[in-house]
Amino acid sequence: MDGMSDMPGMDMGGHAGHDMGAMTHGPAALPEGEALRALPPLANEAGRRPGLFKARLMAQSATARFVADRDTSILAYNGMSPGPMIQAYEGDSVEITFANRIEREQSTIHWHGIPVPADQDGNPMDPVAAGADRVYAFELPEGSAGSYWYHPHPHGRTAEQVYRGLAGAFVVKAKDDPVPVEYGDTVLMLTDLRLAADGSMPDSTMADLMNGRVGDHVLVNGQKNPRLKVAMGAKRRLRLYNATNARFLRLAFANAAMTVIGSDGGLLEKPVATDEILLSPAERVEVVVAFDRPGAATLTTLDYDRGWMGAGRPADAGLTLLTVDVSETPGEAMPPLPERLRPIAPLGAPTVSRRLVLTETMAMNANGMEMDFLINGKAFDMARVDIVARAGETELWEIVNKADMDHPFHVHGTQFQVIERERGGKVAKPPYLAWKDTVNVARGETVRLLIRQERPGARMYHCHILEHEQLGMMGIVDVQV
Ligand code: C2O
Ligand code: CU
Ligand code: CU
């Protein structure tokens, strides 16, 4: 793909895929080191009715102050970006009124990863017009505790509405949680912001559409490199969300020990110690971090080559996302993590197998460069059903990446189990069983997963680099009873 920057109509950007305006003035510098703020919870308005979570989410334009004296126009849920955190319990009924007050744009709310009925899942086929309200109602099944999120999913506008600020965490708590309460439970929502010197968010360039939009600043709960204080010996339960459009985050904790306890769809069977975590766009991981050494413990990024088209590959390594100040004097002793977290039943033998091949095509035409991101040679068509599946049947999906970039593959409506990865003729089993709704398929790699949809209706599957989803890398599985 090198040499594309010479083609007419292509602005590959100088670094990090900036547009010319931002390049001229340089990106804005953001303040760092403020105290980490917890995501504000979405208040439950159900009053005294137990088991019901009832609230309203309004999407609207808002003004943010990332830099002193500069207003940034963003999109926000209830005036906030990230949106308020929803916390509900397994078994709860949820009733959320969505008020779309985005000017002249349709939107939806998609409940990423939660097994909600297809007609409540904010599909692009069910848009909410500008100015309209709609109620999303669903139940959170027993056993569904996990780290989910919500974001818009309107046809052709998802990428933009998300990078402009619309995304929030949705944590489903277990009634019986084996993780000690002393660890707390903190959501860290990682988002990506590009800001021009005048405080505006530049439009996406051709390079952004091709690679996915990567910003200048990775934010944690809306803040750049915030600080958190803990006592020496503390253990903290952290839920890390990659809510960026397109940034791959290979994460490490310097001066603290990380243990993975959960994936997208909740707890693992048992804790797994780890040095680093690759979190591709839309993936989540639950970790317990042990702060046993005084001083600063930092959450940082390592280098990861996800395949970059053209010039301007962003500098991925060496970013400090969060600084934890660990006290000199030890705090109260913390209970240990239990050895078993919860059972995960393997999905078992599939009755159907399917092969989904991911490709990219680029061609010049009268309008400049045209890019298509395809699944089995086809770009998304809202009027076409790509796969017909049966509710309750286990299927084997083989996702084959024949493209030059990694593509994080996501399916709506259920959680799946990755059983195998193959690259360069080598087959590897995943290190542990986990419930996932998004899995990175590296370039040249094949990922095999078992999946079972329990409920009928149309479900989307797509690359979660949102610009790729927009340029065609999405399909529809129609689940029938
Ligand atoms: Cu977060 Cu269609 O997905
Ligand atoms: Cu989704
Ligand atoms: Cu992709």
Side-chain angles (χ1 to χ4, degrees):
M1 296 310 298
D2 290 327
M4 271 187 59
S5 43
D6 302 321
M7 291 179 187
M10 291 298 293
D11 165 21
M12 304 303 295
H15 58 103
H18 297 141
D19 72 349
M20 290 314 285
M23 269 174 65
T24 319
H25 309 291
L30 261 66
E32 300 184 36
E34 294 163 1
L36 173 74
R37 48 176 183 247
L39 293 169
L42 182 63
N44 185 0
E45 289 160 11
R48 254 175 243 137
R49 270 188 62 193
L52 176 67
F53 186 93
K54 193 178 163 136
R56 183 180 157 89
L57 279 175
M58 181 168 71
Q60 199 174 27
S61 55
T63 303
R65 265 286 158 92
F66 293 106
V67 206
D69 307 324
R70 296 274 186 286
D71 283 346
T72 304
S73 135
I74 62 165
L75 291 177
Y77 285 118
N78 295 2
M80 296 167 232
S81 176
M85 184 174 76
I86 303 176
Q87 188 179 294
Y89 284 83
E90 289 176 344
D92 280 358
S93 299
V94 177
E95 218 180 281
I96 291 176
T97 303
F98 170 46
N100 178 12
R101 299 294 178 269
I102 309 170
E103 268 173 63
R104 292 181 300 277
E105 283 182 35
Q106 55 182 35
S107 192
T108 74
I109 301 184
H110 167 56
W111 312 101
H112 183 122
I114 308 177
V116 313
D119 60 356
Q120 304 299 310
D121 208 12
N123 281 333
M125 300 79 94
D126 303 316
V128 179
D133 288 10
R134 85 147 275 180
V135 177
Y136 291 105
F138 48 88
E139 247 113 78
L140 302 170
E142 297 298 335
S144 68
S147 308
Y148 308 104
W149 56 305
Y150 62 94
H151 63 74
H153 220 304
H155 185 57
R157 297 214 79 97
T158 301
E160 191 188 330
Q161 289 186 3
V162 173
Y163 81 65
R164 288 173 70 192
L166 293 181
F170 192 137
V171 173
V172 179
K173 298 279 286 178
K175 284 183 185 137
D176 260 320
D177 199 323
V179 183
V181 287
E182 289 85 347
Y183 298 3
D185 190 348
T186 307
V187 170
L188 298 179
M189 236 197 160
L190 307 174
T191 57
D192 203 1
L193 172 73
R194 187 184 307 159
L195 212 55
D198 66 358
S200 67
M201 265 187 214
D203 289 341
S204 282
T205 63
M206 201 62 106
D208 292 328
L209 297 180
M210 192 157 51
N211 291 293
R213 179 182 173 110
V214 174
D216 302 314
H217 310 279
V218 180
L219 304 183
V220 178
N221 296 354
Q223 296 170 290
K224 186 160 181 177
N225 185 17
R227 297 188 91 95
L228 176 70
K229 281 198 172 90
V230 303
M232 204 218 317
K235 289 184 169 61
R236 286 294 198 112
R237 177 190 202 166
L238 305 177
R239 301 177 192 250
L240 305 175
Y241 281 63
N242 186 337
T244 71
N245 275 40
R247 195 188 271 270
F248 286 67
L249 295 163
R250 194 176 144 220
L251 302 166
F253 233 114
N255 230 9
M258 261 194 308
T259 301
V260 181
I261 59 164
S263 56
D264 305 334
L267 295 175
L268 306 182
E269 293 186 291
K270 47 182 190 219
V272 180
T274 191
D275 289 329
E276 57 170 77
I277 289 160
L278 177 64
L279 208 59
S280 72
E283 283 187 295
R284 290 88 65 209
V285 68
E286 251 184 281
V287 292
V288 168
V289 185
F291 299 98
D292 293 327
R293 268 164 273 162
T298 50
L299 178 64
T300 60
T301 59
L302 305 169
D303 188 51
Y304 179 73
D305 185 7
R306 45 81 136 211
W308 188 266
M309 296 288 173
R313 187 184 154 200
D316 292 319
L319 307 175
T320 302
L321 305 184
L322 172 75
T323 303
V324 182
D325 298 310
V326 185
S327 70
E328 294 286 333
T329 44
E332 266 171 62
M334 294 251 158
L337 251 180
E339 270 162 45
R340 300 253 141 218
L341 297 169
R342 66 148 173 190
I344 295 181
L347 275 173
T351 50
V352 185
S353 48
R354 310 188 188 275
R355 187 176 153 90
L356 282 76
V357 181
L358 312 179
T359 55
E360 299 148 3
T361 64
M362 322 245 162
M364 285 300 293
N365 66 19
N367 306 319
M369 179 64 61
E370 195 176 293
M371 290 163 284
D372 281 307
F373 290 86
L374 309 174
I375 302 179
N376 291 347
K378 290 180 189 147
F380 177 65
D381 178 350
M382 199 147 53
R384 184 188 68 225
V385 167
D386 297 278
I387 294 173
V388 176
R390 287 221 159 273
E393 271 188 15
T394 300
E395 302 195 343
L396 172 73
W397 285 25
E398 184 176 58
I399 321 301
V400 185
N401 187 346
K402 291 196 173 167
D404 295 320
M405 285 180 253
D406 287 17
H407 294 287
F409 184 81
H410 167 55
V411 188
H412 289 197
T414 191
Q415 295 284 320
F416 53 72
Q417 294 175 353
V418 173
I419 52 165
E420 216 166 76
R421 290 175 172 270
E422 184 173 345
R423 203 176 188 180
K426 282 202 198 89
V427 178
K429 301 258 175 246
Y432 46 79
L433 198 54
W435 290 113
K436 297 283 295 165
D437 57 55
T438 308
V439 61
N440 188 40
V441 188
R443 56 221 155 99
E445 188 181 42
T446 293
V447 171
R448 297 188 181 90
L449 55 89
L450 294 173
I451 184 166
R452 187 168 71 206
Q453 294 277 3
E454 301 290 357
R455 296 154 176 274
R459 301 290 186 175
M460 327 303 296
Y461 55 88
H462 58 91
C463 173
H464 220 287
I465 289 180
L466 294 174
E467 288 75 12
H468 294 172
E469 174 259 14
Q470 196 148 318
L471 290 171
M473 199 173 267
M474 176 154 70
I476 296 177
V477 51
D478 185 22
V479 182
Q480 303 185 344
V481 276

